[in-house]
Amino acid sequence: MATKLTSRQELIDYCLRRLGHPVVEINVDDDQIDDRINDGLALFREYVADGSKRIYQPIQITSTHISQGYVNIETEVAALSGRVLDVVKVFMIGDSTSNVNFFDIKYQMRLNDLADLATGVGDLAYYEHMQQYLAMIDLKLTGQPQIQYNRYLDRLFIFGDLNSKGDLKAGDFIMVEMYVELNESVTSQYDNLFLKNYTTALIKKQWGENLSKFEGMTLPGGITLNGRQIIDDANQELEREHEKLRNEYDNPPFFFMG
């Protein structure tokens, strides 16, 4: 009875069985297999929707952040369980950005809305329209922070706010919305259909490339090696999986836009 794959080794064994092992000897070194598994996992975690997770993480701004002009996300959030793929949004929640008071127009409009709802004068439709109107005012007058994040430099830039003259001050908090890849402890990822098909095709291509070094050599019994055919078959399988990735498994185009 088929069972779910729950580890890296089980995924390797599955791929080799699909290629014919142990009936057929798969001429691929263990290190080569590990490399192809790493390639498959990297593509799965970065581009397949189920290979990452969205999290919200509060970070307290320090004088060091202000002086250097950026925040090291993975350094600040050591408890993250995987590599940060991208930061898509930053919410300002510090004291210096919370300026709503009794004389603020948004406070007064919300106060009137709640009073109308309590007396039955207004309805939820009116309240919802007013909230959208206030959100538009906030967007026009305050705007959203413009950010940039590079996963390899691990630097989050908040343009115009994270400097000595910006709105953010030491002690303020920001809420960071980011996507983090799944780590090795998430065992259910190894049973993903795309990952199984893709890593099998990668190992198959490696097998063909190894055999192609002996192209034209005749073995005892008149058998000849045809690594080129194995490579061609693997390339076709990889192209089919890439097409599925674009059409079925990939995230929408706006997924990693800040």
Side-chain angles (χ1 to χ4, degrees), residues 99-110 134:
N99 56 2
V100 177
N101 53 56
F102 182 79
F103 300 100
D104 187 80
I105 183 174
K106 291 187 288 185
Y107 176 86
Q108 292 295 328
M109 294 179 74
R110 287 193 172 95
L134 291 174

Side-chain angles (χ1 to χ4, degrees), residues 1 4 36 45 49 51 69 87 118 120 140 147 161 171 187 190 199 234:
M1 183 177 65
K4 291 185 178 181
R36 301 294 77 78
R45 291 168 178 168
V87 174
K140 292 294 184 181
I147 64 173
D161 292 305
T187 58
Y190 297 106
T199 51

Side-chain angles (χ1 to χ4, degrees), residues 117-160:
L117 284 173
T119 57
V121 176
D123 56 15
L124 287 176
Y126 167 77
Y127 182 76
E128 177 62 24
H129 292 162
M130 183 56 66
Q131 295 306 305
Q132 294 179 13
Y133 178 66
L134 291 174
M136 183 180 67
I137 292 178
D138 189 59
L139 179 62
K140 292 294 184 181
L141 299 181
T142 304
Q144 296 293 331
Q146 300 300 305
I147 64 173
Q148 178 182 339
Y149 177 75
N150 186 296
R151 77 187 70 171
Y152 301 109
L153 293 175
D154 186 33
R155 294 179 178 180
L156 170 64
F157 295 92
I158 307 177
F159 299 112

Side-chain angles (χ1 to χ4, degrees), residues 47-233:
Y47 292 105
V48 177
D50 291 335
S52 62
K53 57 183 178 180
R54 180 173 62 176
I55 66 172
Y56 292 87
Q57 181 67 41
I59 295 178
Q60 187 174 24
I61 299 300
T62 66
S63 57
T64 302
H65 298 148
I66 295 175
S67 62
Q68 67 187 11
Y70 58 84
V71 178
N72 293 105
I73 296 297
E74 293 189 358
T75 302
E76 293 294 330
V77 192
L80 288 177
S81 58
R83 184 171 63 103
V84 177
L85 295 176
D86 204 1
V87 174
V88 296
K89 191 174 294 185
V90 170
F91 302 93
M92 303 296 191
I93 57 177
D95 293 336
S96 62
T97 59
S98 302
N99 56 2
V100 177
N101 53 56
F102 182 79
F103 300 100
D104 187 80
I105 183 174
K106 291 187 288 185
Y107 176 86
Q108 292 295 328
M109 294 179 74
R110 287 193 172 95
L111 184 65
N112 291 332
D113 292 341
L114 292 175
D116 290 340
L117 284 173
T119 57
V121 176
D123 56 15
L124 287 176
Y126 167 77
Y127 182 76
E128 177 62 24
H129 292 162
M130 183 56 66
Q131 295 306 305
Q132 294 179 13
Y133 178 66
L134 291 174
M136 183 180 67
I137 292 178
D138 189 59
L139 179 62
K140 292 294 184 181
L141 299 181
T142 304
Q144 296 293 331
Q146 300 300 305
I147 64 173
Q148 178 182 339
Y149 177 75
N150 186 296
R151 77 187 70 171
Y152 301 109
L153 293 175
D154 186 33
R155 294 179 178 180
L156 170 64
F157 295 92
I158 307 177
F159 299 112
D161 292 305
L162 194 59
N163 55 59
S164 58
K165 298 181 180 179
D167 292 332
L168 288 172
K169 302 295 185 294
D172 288 346
F173 281 88
I174 58 175
M175 183 68 73
V176 180
E177 178 185 354
M178 67 184 82
Y179 283 86
V180 180
E181 68 178 15
L182 301 181
N183 63 10
E184 298 288 337
S185 65
V186 183
T187 58
S188 56
Q189 66 183 307
Y190 297 106
D191 199 55
N192 180 269
L193 181 60
F194 169 81
L195 180 61
K196 292 190 293 185
N197 292 337
Y198 191 76
T199 51
T200 299
L202 286 176
I203 295 175
K204 184 176 183 178
K205 183 177 180 180
Q206 182 67 65
W207 182 21
E209 290 176 347
N210 291 347
L211 292 180
S212 66
K213 305 299 188 297
F214 306 97
E215 195 75 33
M217 180 180 296
T218 303
L219 300 179
I223 300 175
T224 58
L225 300 176
N226 191 354
R228 182 59 52 188
Q229 183 61 50
I230 297 178
I231 294 176
D232 293 340
D233 292 344

Side-chain angles (χ1 to χ4, degrees), residues 4-22:
K4 291 185 178 181
L5 307 182
T6 59
S7 69
R8 180 189 184 94
Q9 187 57 51
E10 289 182 2
L11 176 61
I12 293 175
D13 295 339
Y14 169 86
C15 295
L16 294 179
R17 287 196 301 270
R18 283 188 56 176
L19 294 175
H21 181 79

